Amino acid sequence: MLESNVIQYRGFHNIEENGKITGFQICIRSDYYRGVWLSQLRPGKVVVDGVTYPKECVIWEINGKDYTVDELAEAGSDFWRITDTAALKIPKKGGLEQGAHTVSVRFAASCSYMPPFMDIFDEDGDDRSFNGGTYTRENMIIV
């Protein structure tokens, strides 16, 4: 079951590969009521405890498949359902320390029925737009 917040407590953990912590992941749900074709996603930055991770270093796992930002833009036949989470994987040697973290994720979705001048999204900004914005959740726990 999905939580009401865009950023989910479930799925927030460090990533272990071959016995080493190589990064961390954040799970989010879509904020758009219909789901989104992946080519409509407008990924932005991720900020954890004041450290900014640019969109280019974030891997989006949707429907069990990993996508870079460039691959999302080309994935016009892949769909992110409203009932599913996306895992955002961020490489960081050693991952995050145990304890509470403040997490912000910025993303939006392009809407085909809106005029192009309204489809402007500043990936590095903090303002909300009609189609997305920055979502923050405090006290995210890594154990």
Side-chain angles (χ1 to χ4, degrees), residues 44-65:
K45 64 186 177 181
V46 172
V47 180
V48 179
D49 299 330
V51 177
T52 300
Y53 301 90
K55 66 179 183 177
E56 293 79 14
C57 78
V58 179
I59 300 296
W60 288 66
E61 180 188 319
I62 300 173
N63 301 328
K65 184 177 176 185

Side-chain angles (χ1 to χ4, degrees), residues 26-91:
I26 303 160
C27 287
I28 63 172
R29 66 168 181 80
S30 174
D31 65 340
Y32 190 61
Y33 73 101
R34 295 172 56 175
V36 179
W37 295 102
L38 300 192
S39 60
Q40 290 180 281
L41 273 177
R42 302 294 181 260
K45 64 186 177 181
V46 172
V47 180
V48 179
D49 299 330
V51 177
T52 300
Y53 301 90
K55 66 179 183 177
E56 293 79 14
C57 78
V58 179
I59 300 296
W60 288 66
E61 180 188 319
I62 300 173
N63 301 328
K65 184 177 176 185
D66 289 347
Y67 298 88
T68 64
V69 171
D70 292 336
E71 291 169 335
L72 284 171
E74 299 297 321
S77 61
D78 297 335
F79 193 74
W80 179 16
R81 292 180 301 278
I82 189 71
T83 56
D84 293 337
T85 60
L88 279 55
K89 301 175 183 177
I90 295 100

Side-chain angles (χ1 to χ4, degrees), residues 17-31:
E17 295 173 343
N18 300 322
K20 294 184 180 181
I21 304 297
T22 59
F24 61 95
Q25 104 173 4
I26 303 160
C27 287
I28 63 172
R29 66 168 181 80
S30 174
D31 65 340

Side-chain angles (χ1 to χ4, degrees), residues 85-138:
T85 60
L88 279 55
K89 301 175 183 177
I90 295 100
K92 181 180 189 303
K93 186 177 179 181
L96 295 173
E97 292 183 14
Q98 288 184 340
H101 300 274
T102 299
V103 176
S104 295
V105 176
R106 182 158 178 79
F107 71 99
S110 173
C111 298
S112 59
Y113 53 82
M114 297 304 281
F117 74 88
M118 292 186 74
D119 191 24
I120 297 170
F121 183 70
D122 178 6
E123 294 96 352
D124 295 316
D126 290 314
D127 296 334
R128 287 195 51 81
S129 67
F130 81 94
N131 59 350
T134 301
Y135 305 90
T136 301
R137 195 149 190 199
E138 298 178 341

